[in-house]
Amino acid sequence: MAAFTVNGKLVTVEKNQKLIRSLRDDLGLTSVKDGCSEGACGTCTVLIDGKPTRACIPQTDKLEGKSVLTVEGLTDFEKQVYTYAFGQAGAVQCGFCIPGMVMCAKALLDGNPNPAREEAAFAIRNNICRCTGYVKIIDAILLAAELLRAGEVPEIPSDWSLG
Ligand code: FES
Ligand code: FES
């Protein structure tokens, strides 16, 4: 058994299990994607005490007192920033890798609001995307950094297809 916070709320997990199972199956936080279940793809990345961590690795019993953050726990402003930046940069194809990419971006930008391109690339070095070739994801992270620094997000263009 362990007690820790998830997106700011205290949870007590009775059964010792992989964090990803607790987040997805018990708490319904389905932004946490299960790409490989074995630490190889990065799609399940969440922040634990601010550090990008693959949720398919730690057992919940090891998380006593820790703080877990998923995409669902971002602020409304952060959600707007990442939605706009990834959409505008054309960084989303199937979308499966994106929550993990966003959490890596958040960890980077929380500590380094104006990263170099190489630093953005380094931040997602452990995350696999089978669709985009990474260039547009790095563009999106740099655009998110710009928007966070500016403190505002442009209107979503009307020609975006949201369907
Ligand atoms: S599902 Fe966790 S690293 Fe692939
Ligand atoms: S957008 Fe499809 S895996 Fe990255």
Side-chain angles (χ1 to χ4, degrees):
M1 188 175 94
F4 49 91
T5 66
V6 177
N7 298 335
K9 292 197 188 99
L10 186 65
V11 297
T12 302
V13 178
E14 300 286 338
K15 180 178 159 197
N16 188 27
Q17 58 189 328
K18 293 282 174 78
L19 175 61
I20 191 171
R21 297 275 53 98
S22 174
L23 295 175
R24 285 186 61 88
D25 304 343
D26 299 341
L27 300 174
L29 298 171
T30 52
S31 77
V32 186
K33 301 298 181 212
D34 188 356
C36 70
S37 306
E38 57 182 27
C41 73
T43 61
C44 64
T45 301
V46 299
L47 302 191
I48 299 184
D49 291 347
K51 213 174 135 221
T53 307
R54 293 155 192 229
C56 65
I57 302 287
Q59 296 285 136
T60 49
D61 271 6
K62 303 275 186 201
L63 298 178
E64 181 69 35
K66 304 265 186 203
S67 167
V68 177
L69 188 75
T70 72
V71 161
E72 289 87 345
L74 296 177
T75 67
D76 287 347
F77 179 65
E78 287 173 318
K79 287 176 186 169
Q80 286 169 24
V81 163
Y82 288 109
T83 300
Y84 181 89
F86 275 70
Q88 184 64 17
V92 182
Q93 290 192 32
C94 81
F96 193 73
C97 69
I98 300 299
M101 296 290 185
V102 166
M103 296 317 284
C104 288
K106 176 177 166 56
L108 170 70
L109 300 180
D110 280 354
N112 178 1
N114 193 8
R117 190 166 187 90
E118 302 68 44
E119 292 171 313
F122 188 74
I124 56 160
R125 69 198 176 284
N126 294 319
N127 292 48
I128 291 173
C129 175
R130 64 185 175 180
C131 308
T132 66
Y134 304 100
V135 171
K136 290 179 176 179
I137 291 178
I138 296 164
D139 291 343
I141 294 171
L142 296 175
L143 178 54
E146 208 177 301
L147 300 176
L148 288 165
R149 290 197 306 274
E152 58 187 331
V153 186
E155 290 277 311
I156 299 239
S158 57
D159 58 349
W160 275 19
S161 167
L162 298 176

